[in-house]
Amino acid sequence: MKNRKLLMIPGPIEFEPKVLQALGAPTTSHVAPNFIESFGNCIQLMRKVWLTSTGQPFIVAGTGTFAMDMSAANLIEPNDHVLVISTGYFGERFAEIAKRYGANVTILESEVGNVVALDEIEKALAAKKYKLLTITHVDTSTGVLVNPKPIAELAKKYNTLSILDGVCSVAGEEIQQEEWGIDVVLTASQKAVGVPPGLALLVVSKKALDVFKNRKTPVGNYYADFNNWLPIMHAYENRQPSYFGTPPVNLIAALEVSLQQIVTEGMENRFLRHKKIAVAFREAMIALGLKLLPVHKNLSANTLTAVYFPENIAGSAFLANTGKNDVILAGGLLPSHKTQYFRVGHMGSVNNNDIIATIAAIESSLFACDHPFEMGIGLKTALKILNN
Ligand code: PMP
């Protein structure tokens, strides 16, 4: 296809043909036996992808922001204390959402490109009783990866619920929800889960559901209320028809295909594939003399990379040139640094070919912008890693 573009932004991503075929199949009734079976399968497959045997999945029409909103609406009551651990734009968003439900929010912010130190988190937890804390696993604005495991352990130690915003990580970065004791892991369909935008996906621990059931005040958001959705999830899992709000039938059919593909690949293999491609891309950028937004390679996500433009280059010209080479990249998102960097998504069905084409397009843009560099060094670096 001559006009085909390679979409390498951090969501929506490129989708598998079979997923898109499912999306384009004739829409059935939401209570048709085939759809009930698909929905039930999705619920069971989500536990395998989230790596929990006891969590309660929710599949609801909405975006990642709605998944954040749903977790907050159900678990926060007015005047609850909430600790937001922020590594960028989406941490700030969680703080705003929590405030809407009447929470007293304390926000621990990292410097740009860094993470919040564990002892700072422990100091905050020891100082005050927090109902819950939020972690952004990969902040898509900075490409910083947070290790949620020790934070979830701290949350448990201080009897605080933990919510992981995994919008840019679920099915790409390693998450062991049950073993790591994370109470809510939420995402959206359009990233590493590999389905076009439109689904909010959450898995909620038994402990968090017990906290929800003991609420003293009603949930202040009708559409998000777990009370409306729990019977629906239970019904579909038991292969029974049910209705609260019309489910996005085609998106759920596509989700079944994608989750099945993910489980067939195997979670361990999938995490390793993401890691290898991410390392190859990062090392290629470094070999080209470019600087990453994360202050240390160990803090760089495996689902996307944020890279500073060289100082002498206009970002808009650089991105226009990658576009001319049919590779679509994203600009910056963090308001304070927006024009200084670009972002490359490498998650979901990404393969070696995609990343090689992307590095070639970046080299081509550096050349077009008269930036001095050794042509081919990025590709050579990446190929060595990918073929190892
Ligand atoms: N959290 C993170 C980490 C994200 O990357 C995004 C989307 N880029 C969101 C939340 C919000 O998701 P959506 O755009 O689907 O509402």
Side-chain angles (χ1 to χ4, degrees), residues 52 70 95 112 124-125 168 185 208 217 243 248 253 257 282 332 345:
T52 172
M70 191 172 188
V112 172
L125 288 170
C168 200
V185 177
T217 56
Y243 168 74
V257 174
R282 281 202 285 279

Side-chain angles (χ1 to χ4, degrees), residues 231-287:
I232 308 303
M233 300 304 136
H234 291 154
Y236 278 113
E237 185 161 14
N238 293 323
R239 307 302 193 265
Q240 299 293 324
S242 191
Y243 168 74
F244 167 61
T246 308
V249 171
N250 293 56
L251 278 172
I252 289 171
L255 179 67
E256 185 191 10
V257 174
S258 193
L259 291 175
Q260 193 59 62
Q261 287 177 347
I262 293 169
V263 167
T264 301
E265 179 176 13
M267 298 316 295
E268 195 65 24
N269 293 339
R270 194 168 174 92
F271 300 145
L272 285 174
R273 175 169 58 82
H274 279 79
K275 198 167 201 165
K276 190 163 192 177
I277 288 177
V279 169
F281 185 71
R282 281 202 285 279
E283 292 301 330
M285 294 302 103
I286 292 167

Side-chain angles (χ1 to χ4, degrees), residues 10-11 62-68 89-91 93-94 136-141 165-169 186-191 197-199 304 333 343:
T63 72
T65 305
F66 178 68
M68 297 162 82
Y89 184 90
F90 290 102
R93 179 171 290 187
F94 231 147
T136 314
H137 197 182
V138 171
D139 202 300
T140 319
S141 67
D165 171 353
V167 173
C168 200
S169 68
L186 62 90
T187 192
S189 50
Q190 74 272 17
K191 303 214 189 204
L199 291 175
L304 92 146
L333 181 61
R343 296 173 303 143

Side-chain angles (χ1 to χ4, degrees), residues 115-264:
V115 293
V116 179
L118 270 185
D119 57 358
E120 208 184 316
I121 298 171
E122 176 144 28
K123 216 159 72 190
L125 288 170
K128 199 187 317 182
K129 172 80 185 94
Y130 287 96
K131 167 95 162 282
L132 62 87
L133 61 78
T134 72
I135 310 160
T136 314
H137 197 182
V138 171
D139 202 300
T140 319
S141 67
T142 57
V144 168
L145 173 68
V146 172
N147 181 0
K149 192 176 169 207
I151 304 177
E153 273 163 19
L154 279 179
K156 233 191 290 178
K157 178 171 164 189
Y158 288 91
N159 198 20
T160 297
L161 294 175
S162 51
I163 301 182
L164 185 69
D165 171 353
V167 173
C168 200
S169 68
V170 170
E173 302 283 358
E174 181 178 7
I175 304 172
Q176 313 255 359
Q177 182 172 5
E178 194 158 285
E179 201 180 310
W180 297 355
I182 309 173
D183 291 297
V184 179
V185 177
L186 62 90
T187 192
S189 50
Q190 74 272 17
K191 303 214 189 204
V193 167
V195 177
L199 291 175
L201 305 167
L202 303 89
V203 178
V204 180
S205 72
K206 198 177 161 309
K207 186 167 139 205
L209 280 182
D210 287 343
V211 169
F212 161 74
K213 282 172 190 157
N214 287 321
R215 282 180 70 100
K216 296 190 177 56
T217 56
V219 174
N221 180 326
Y222 181 72
Y223 181 62
D225 193 339
F226 283 166
N227 283 317
N228 290 326
W229 292 107
L230 270 169
I232 308 303
M233 300 304 136
H234 291 154
Y236 278 113
E237 185 161 14
N238 293 323
R239 307 302 193 265
Q240 299 293 324
S242 191
Y243 168 74
F244 167 61
T246 308
V249 171
N250 293 56
L251 278 172
I252 289 171
L255 179 67
E256 185 191 10
V257 174
S258 193
L259 291 175
Q260 193 59 62
Q261 287 177 347
I262 293 169
V263 167
T264 301

